[in-house]
């Protein structure tokens, strides 16, 4: 049997000789498993990787983070005898009992085998797990615990799928139903009576059980919901058909009384069915993204739904959205032409947040300090409609973005390619409005290039060019263009806009990447396998370099920093090459299949990740790595960035003293390297103090902290722009 298994991989891999571990700082999926309400609906429990986060369902604030050892959590449940306790189960078979109000670990049990799904439907305290001894053969088991270990194990079902949506227990554990492909398996646990029921031409996608009656609801890939009755005894049980969804049913759930049924799918609509009146249904449409899970609180007042953009919405029974819990937004609309996260990672100095692709056509601003999304900036301005069953919908996506050093300007490039019409490419410049504290559109340029834009960047701020804003675009149309801010004042208003200042090209090669020197006096542009050096003010070509005997296209170009400002780094698919611009010779070269490379703006270090997810950190002057991590991610690394360290240093290496490295993988998880934490700990976030009224003394402290922060931010911007000024001037004079 082929099973659709959820990938559960522990990303915390210890390095060779130190205590640095990989930790997920954001983007960990909060939608992989069903959430859980507390017995009084005051709290909501959400699985996030190796932890369970306790949210307040009223405010959406984090109360506790329960760290569940070293493996990913695959299920949680309320203790049937003590509703103030929850039980978590990890993929390695670690079962932990928690007091969620105090965030205290009470008991720990270790099962001798791994688990893929977990539930606790029985009133005697026993649990049920899905496990497998051989790949693809999963069994449903029941376990009883003693004081310190598992006392008894019994077999329930085979041919089950390792997915909690494919298994349902009914009537407090009296029977169990499981779906696999086109078969519904039902088992009366007390009588040990097993039956199987087939449906033709459709595949089951989920199953849920009525809380008090012998009834189950199944969803299938045609959008149909079936209500099954008397399935424990009848060979051909009676069924009721509920059909509204045009796409596969993702999940469904009964209310605690069983009078209503909720269902969700890719239409971004929550549907409420009244049992016994199949024509009576209610809808909550336009929730923003496809829905994957739905659960109901025990008092029938709240519903929680998971969205494909990595968010969770708490909704009242009257269809009023009460809270939105948003993690790092995942782009659920994958554009084939754009790829995953084409804009990469940026740093916004104003909000001290990360900027990256969010929803399709948006940029999201994410705060690492609070682990919250600040806001989504709509760049494209388009409506996202429900997916089509047989045809992919092509949207306009933000493929390039850049922020100026001060954060005053944001530049974006958006593109739409459907393989049958002309490219739609638009360059936009956004100015920061201090009153609204948002970016507003200043200039729009349609078709700035005729082919895909590969790189967009701003020139660093520096006294040498009077801090005049300058931007550069590199494109597959074999050109790079410089854009300058010009006066656009007329008799009606005072204004300034961006205009194309110059255009450069080298032979008939595509411009793949570009980089500015520390002070912005030199511009490096990669044309296919050639590396060229230009003076931005007059667009004069000063130098062209190529690796002897190599015709590999250049994928990334970076200038060194500080004492290494005279070094120019370039990468191809197979090697990393560092040029010395004072001697026009290769300083060093290393064979590497690089997929990501980024430079630390505060030191001379750079980080590179390979296709095998090996991370190496170099000093720009040496080919010997100062740090190596064999497996930084369980999925391919997409992009990375160095950010200024805040507070206590989280690393043990010299290269981590000033900056912290963050990488983003294909699962859209934001990872970083930190010292090892103690297992089984909890993290508590104070929410009481935040609700108290401010005192004059607290306001004074806040003003002092704000002043210090602004002063530090100014120092940071100045430090990034100028340390290599002397060395770069020598290079400029050398080639003049």
């Amino acid at each position: 049997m082929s099973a659709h298994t959820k990938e559960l991989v522990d990303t915390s891999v210890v390095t060779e000789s130190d205590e640095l571990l990989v930790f997920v700082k954001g983007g960990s999926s909060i939608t992989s498993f069903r959430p859980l309400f507390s017995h009084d609906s005051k709290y909501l429990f959400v699985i996030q990787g190796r932890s369970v986060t306790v949210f307040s369902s009223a405010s959406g604030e984090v109360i506790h983070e329960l760290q569940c050892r070293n493996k990913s959590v695959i299920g949680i449940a309320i203790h049937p005898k003590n509703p103030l306790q929850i039980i978590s189960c990890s993929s390695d078979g670690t079962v932990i009992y928690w007091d969620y109000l105090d965030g205290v670990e009470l008991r720990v049990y270790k099962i001798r085998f791994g688990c893929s799904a977990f539930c606790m439907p029985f009133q005697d305290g026993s649990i049920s797990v899905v496990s497998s001894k051989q790949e693809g053969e999963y069994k449903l088991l029941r376990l009883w615990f003693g004081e310190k270990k598992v006392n008894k194990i019994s077999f329930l079902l085979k041919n089950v799928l390792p997915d909690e949506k494919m298994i349902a227990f009914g009537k407090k554990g009296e029977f169990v139903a499981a779906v696999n492909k086109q078969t519904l398996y039902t088992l009366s646990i007390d009588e040990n009576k097993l039956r199987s029921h087939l449906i033709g031409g459709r595949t089951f996608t989920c199953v849920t059980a009525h809380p008090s009656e012998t009834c189950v609801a199944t969803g299938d890939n045609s959008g149909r919901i079936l209500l099954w009755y008397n399935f424990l005894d009848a060979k051909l049980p009676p069924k009721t058909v509920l059909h509204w969804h045009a796409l596969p049913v993702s999940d469904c759930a009964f209310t605690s009384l069983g009078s209503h049924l909720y269902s969700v799918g890719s239409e971004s609509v929550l549907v409420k069915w009244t049992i016994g009146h199949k024509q009576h249904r209610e809808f909550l449409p336009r929730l923003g993204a496809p829905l994957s899970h739905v659960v109901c609180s025990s008092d029938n007042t709240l519903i929680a739904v998971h969205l494909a953009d990595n968010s969770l919405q708490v909704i009242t029974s009257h269809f009023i959205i009460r809270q939105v819990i948003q993690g790092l937004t995942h782009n659920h609309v994958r554009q084939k032409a754009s790829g995953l996260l084409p804009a990469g990672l940026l740093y916004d100095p104003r909000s001290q947040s990360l900027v990256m692709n969010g929803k399709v056509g948006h940029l999201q601003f994410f705060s690492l300090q609070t682990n919250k999304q600040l806001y989504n900036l709509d760049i494209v301005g388009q409506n996202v409609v429900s997916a089509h069953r047989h045809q992919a919908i092509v949207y306009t996506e933000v493929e390039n973005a850049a922020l100026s050093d001060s954060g005053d300007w944001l530049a974006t490039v958006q593109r739409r390619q459907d393989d049958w019409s002309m490219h739609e490419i638009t360059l936009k410049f956004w100015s920061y409005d201090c009153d609204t504290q948002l970016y507003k559109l200043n200039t729009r340029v349609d078709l700035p290039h005729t082919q895909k834009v590969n790189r967009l960047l701003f020139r660093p701020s520096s006294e040498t060019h009077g801090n005049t804003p300058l931007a550069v675009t590199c494109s597959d149309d074999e050109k790079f263009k410089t854009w300058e801010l010009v006066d656009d004042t007329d008799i009606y208003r005072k204004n300034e806009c961006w205009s194309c200042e110059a255009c450069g090209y080298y032979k008939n090669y595509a411009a793949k990447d570009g980089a500015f020197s520390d002070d912005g006096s030199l511009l490096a542009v990669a044309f296919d396998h050639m590396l060229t050096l230009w003076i931005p003010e007059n667009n004069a070509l000063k130098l062209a370099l190529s690796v002897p005997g190599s015709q590999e296209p250049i994928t990334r170009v970076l200038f060194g920093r500080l004492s290494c400002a005279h070094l120019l780094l370039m990468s191809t698919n197979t090697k990393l090459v560092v040029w010395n611009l004072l001697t026009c010779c290769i300083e060093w070269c290393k064979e590497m299949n690089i997929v990501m490379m980024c430079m630390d703006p505060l030191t001379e270090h750079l980080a590179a990740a390979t296709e095998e997810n090996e991370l190496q950190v170099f000093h720009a002057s040496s080919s010997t790595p100062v740090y190596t991590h064999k497996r930084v991610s369980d999925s391919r690394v997409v992009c990375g960035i160095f950010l200024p360290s805040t507070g206590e240093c989280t690393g043990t290496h010299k290269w981590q003293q000033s900056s912290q490295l963050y990488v983003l993988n294909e699962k859209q998880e934001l990872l970083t390297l930190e010292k090892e934490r103690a297992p089984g700990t909890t993290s508590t976030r104070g929410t009481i103090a935040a609700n108290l009224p401010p005192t004059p003394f607290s306001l004074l402290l806040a003003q002092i902290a704000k002043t210090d922060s602004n002063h530090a931010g100014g120092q940071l911007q100045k430090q990034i722009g100028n340390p290599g000024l002397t060395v770069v001037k020598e290079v400029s004079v050398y080639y003049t």
Side-chain angles (χ1 to χ4, degrees):
M1 127 184 154
S2 70
H4 302 286
T5 310
K6 288 183 179 177
E7 190 176 15
L8 301 172
V9 183
D10 181 21
T11 59
S12 298
V13 183
V14 182
T15 59
E16 297 120 345
S17 59
D18 53 41
E19 297 178 349
L20 287 185
L21 298 179
V22 178
F23 286 95
V24 180
K25 300 297 290 185
S28 58
S29 175
I30 65 174
T31 61
S32 297
F33 301 93
R34 283 172 175 161
L36 178 68
F37 281 105
S38 60
H39 70 289
D40 55 4
S41 304
K42 291 183 178 180
Y43 304 101
L44 185 64
F45 310 104
V46 179
I47 297 175
Q48 286 186 273
R50 295 181 300 159
S51 64
V52 178
T53 305
V54 184
F55 291 94
S56 168
S57 58
S59 65
E61 292 296 319
V62 175
I63 307 301
H64 293 294
E65 289 182 2
L66 312 178
Q67 302 292 334
C68 302
R69 307 285 166 159
N70 294 324
K71 293 294 182 179
S72 300
V73 182
I74 51 93
I76 49 177
I78 297 288
H79 197 295
K81 296 183 178 180
N82 187 348
L84 298 181
Q85 295 181 12
I86 65 168
I87 298 94
S88 67
C89 180
S90 301
S91 59
D92 63 346
T94 302
V95 178
I96 304 178
Y97 286 67
W98 297 90
D99 182 337
Y100 62 81
L101 292 179
D102 296 329
V104 178
E105 181 183 287
L106 302 177
R107 297 190 303 278
V108 180
Y109 295 96
K110 179 65 178 177
I111 305 174
R112 298 190 302 270
F113 43 80
C115 302
S116 302
F118 165 82
C119 56
M120 196 172 189
F122 308 105
Q123 298 302 300
D124 60 358
S126 60
I127 68 170
S128 181
V129 298
V130 174
S131 183
S132 171
K133 290 186 177 180
Q134 297 181 2
E135 186 176 357
E137 297 181 4
Y138 294 92
K139 297 180 180 180
L140 182 64
L141 307 175
R142 183 178 182 182
L143 294 81
W144 288 262
F145 291 115
E147 289 295 326
K148 297 182 179 180
K149 62 179 182 179
V150 177
N151 284 345
K152 180 182 177 183
I153 301 177
S154 68
F155 168 80
L156 294 179
L157 280 176
K158 63 178 181 179
N159 294 331
V160 297
L161 294 177
D163 189 340
E164 60 183 350
K165 293 193 295 186
M166 302 297 184
I167 303 168
F169 287 86
K171 299 178 70 174
K172 298 181 179 180
E174 292 184 11
F175 69 88
V176 59
V179 292
N180 188 347
K181 295 182 180 179
Q182 299 179 355
T183 306
L184 168 66
Y185 299 96
T186 61
L187 173 70
S188 175
I189 296 177
D190 294 335
E191 301 176 4
N192 196 25
K193 183 190 299 183
L194 175 66
R195 286 194 177 275
S196 60
H197 308 282
L198 296 174
I199 61 169
R202 295 177 173 90
T203 301
F204 288 116
T205 57
C206 60
V207 61
T208 187
H210 196 282
S212 58
E213 299 179 5
T214 307
C215 171
V216 296
T218 60
D220 60 40
N221 61 346
S222 68
R224 191 180 62 167
I225 298 174
L226 295 180
L227 299 179
W228 301 70
Y229 301 93
N230 196 27
F231 46 81
L232 295 175
D233 300 316
K235 292 184 179 180
L236 295 175
K239 299 182 288 291
T240 300
V241 179
L242 308 176
H243 200 165
W244 176 86
H245 294 276
L247 299 171
V249 180
S250 299
D251 197 12
C252 53
F254 282 101
T255 57
S256 61
L257 298 178
S259 57
H260 295 91
L261 174 73
Y262 292 95
S263 64
V264 294
S266 296
E267 302 88 357
S268 306
V269 179
L270 174 64
V271 186
K272 181 179 181 180
W273 305 84
T274 301
I275 303 302
H277 304 276
K278 66 178 184 178
Q279 298 301 326
H280 183 268
R281 51 188 180 236
E282 300 175 50
F283 305 97
L284 181 60
R286 296 180 292 277
L287 290 178
L291 309 180
S292 57
H293 295 92
V294 58
V295 295
C296 301
S297 62
S298 58
D299 57 4
N300 297 326
T301 59
L302 298 176
I303 306 102
V305 293
H306 274 159
L307 278 71
D309 64 354
N310 199 35
S311 66
L312 184 150
Q313 294 188 9
V314 179
I315 303 169
T316 68
S317 57
H318 301 292
F319 279 4
I320 300 174
I321 298 177
R322 183 175 181 180
Q323 282 296 331
V324 176
I325 299 172
Q326 176 72 67
L328 193 66
T329 299
H330 290 179
N331 187 358
H332 64 278
V333 181
R334 301 293 176 87
Q335 298 293 296
K336 182 179 178 181
S338 302
L340 179 66
L341 300 169
L345 290 175
L346 307 172
Y347 178 65
D348 178 22
R350 288 185 173 273
S351 60
Q352 297 182 354
S353 60
L354 273 178
V355 183
M356 69 197 82
N357 293 96
K359 299 178 180 179
V360 60
H362 291 67
L363 289 178
Q364 62 174 317
F365 290 70
F366 185 81
S367 172
L368 290 171
Q369 285 74 24
T370 61
N371 196 26
K372 288 184 177 180
Q373 183 189 100
L374 301 181
Y375 62 93
N376 261 306
L377 179 62
D378 189 357
I379 302 297
V380 176
Q382 64 184 349
N383 290 324
V384 179
V385 299
S386 298
H388 195 277
R389 183 180 289 271
H390 303 295
Q391 184 179 1
I393 300 176
V394 180
Y395 293 100
T396 303
E397 183 57 288
V398 182
E399 293 193 341
N400 306 90
L403 278 161
S404 61
D405 285 348
S406 62
D408 292 336
W409 292 98
L410 167 68
T412 60
V413 175
Q414 63 193 50
R415 183 173 72 106
R416 183 182 184 273
Q417 180 184 3
D418 53 16
D419 295 329
W420 61 271
S421 62
M422 186 177 178
H423 285 196
E424 299 176 16
I425 304 175
T426 304
L427 171 64
K428 293 180 178 179
F429 291 94
W430 308 72
S431 61
Y432 187 80
D433 190 328
C434 295
D435 295 331
T436 61
Q437 299 200 3
L438 293 173
Y439 285 96
K440 292 186 176 180
L441 183 62
N442 174 271
T443 305
R444 173 187 174 125
V445 182
D446 290 322
L447 210 62
H449 291 271
T450 58
Q451 296 294 327
K452 183 179 184 294
V453 176
N454 297 313
R455 183 71 168 156
L456 170 65
L457 66 157
F458 279 101
R459 178 168 61 179
S461 300
S462 175
E463 298 175 358
T464 59
H465 47 75
N467 291 323
T468 303
L470 184 74
V472 173
T473 54
C474 304
S475 172
D476 280 340
D477 64 0
E478 304 172 359
K479 297 179 181 66
F480 76 89
K481 294 182 179 181
T482 57
W483 305 82
E484 196 172 57
L485 188 64
V486 297
D487 185 30
D488 188 37
T489 302
D490 55 25
I491 61 174
Y492 299 104
R493 84 276 190 263
K494 185 177 180 180
N495 190 37
E496 53 187 4
C497 67
W498 289 80
S499 176
C500 182
E501 179 70 15
C503 178
Y505 58 92
Y506 186 82
K507 298 183 178 180
N508 293 321
Y509 297 142
K512 292 297 185 181
D513 196 20
F516 277 104
S517 59
D518 243 2
D519 69 338
S521 62
L522 292 175
L523 171 64
V525 181
F527 286 93
D528 197 56
H529 65 283
M530 298 295 297
L531 185 57
T532 60
L533 210 61
W534 304 72
I535 302 298
E537 279 74 18
N538 56 12
N539 206 37
L541 175 64
K542 307 303 294 183
L543 183 66
L545 302 170
S546 66
V547 178
S550 176
Q551 298 290 320
E552 279 190 295
I554 299 172
T555 57
R556 194 76 170 95
V557 178
L558 293 171
F559 268 94
R561 302 289 184 181
L562 304 178
S563 63
C564 297
H566 62 291
L567 299 179
L568 185 57
L569 303 88
M570 52 165 274
S571 67
T572 66
N573 290 330
T574 60
K575 61 175 67 72
L576 171 61
V577 182
V578 178
W579 290 89
N580 188 327
L581 296 182
L582 295 176
T583 62
C584 295
C585 295
I586 295 178
E587 186 81 5
W588 57 269
C589 179
K590 188 177 181 66
E591 297 289 333
M592 296 178 67
N593 51 350
I594 296 177
V595 296
M596 182 280 296
M597 185 172 71
C598 59
M599 193 78 194
D600 186 354
L602 301 180
T603 68
E604 298 92 344
H605 295 98
L606 70 139
T610 67
E611 289 184 354
E612 295 77 22
N613 296 325
E614 180 182 16
L615 176 69
Q616 295 188 21
V617 180
F618 299 88
H619 191 281
S621 61
S622 174
S623 62
T624 303
V626 298
Y627 179 80
T628 300
H629 199 296
K630 292 296 183 183
R631 185 168 172 267
V632 73
S633 172
D634 62 321
S635 61
R636 186 175 183 270
V637 175
V638 178
C639 49
I641 189 174
F642 280 94
L643 297 182
S645 297
T646 56
E648 181 184 357
C649 179
T650 58
T652 58
H653 292 260
K654 184 178 179 180
W655 61 273
Q656 291 183 304
Q657 300 306 309
S658 301
S659 303
Q660 187 73 16
L661 174 65
Y662 296 89
V663 296
L664 203 66
N665 61 17
E666 283 188 333
K667 294 166 66 175
Q668 303 184 57
E669 294 173 331
L670 189 64
L671 312 174
T672 191
L673 293 165
E674 294 182 356
K675 293 181 290 188
E676 185 175 6
R677 302 171 183 170
T681 59
T682 65
S683 172
T684 305
R685 304 186 185 179
T687 58
I688 298 178
N691 297 324
L692 296 178
T695 64
F697 183 66
S698 67
L699 292 175
L700 177 62
L701 289 179
Q703 181 62 34
I704 294 174
K706 181 179 179 181
T707 304
D708 292 342
S709 175
N710 293 337
H711 180 63
Q715 288 181 337
L716 172 62
Q717 294 170 17
K718 183 177 180 181
Q719 187 175 1
I720 291 177
N722 295 323
L725 176 60
T726 304
V727 180
V728 175
K729 279 184 176 179
E730 294 179 9
V731 178
S732 301
V733 172
Y734 182 82
Y735 293 113
T736 301

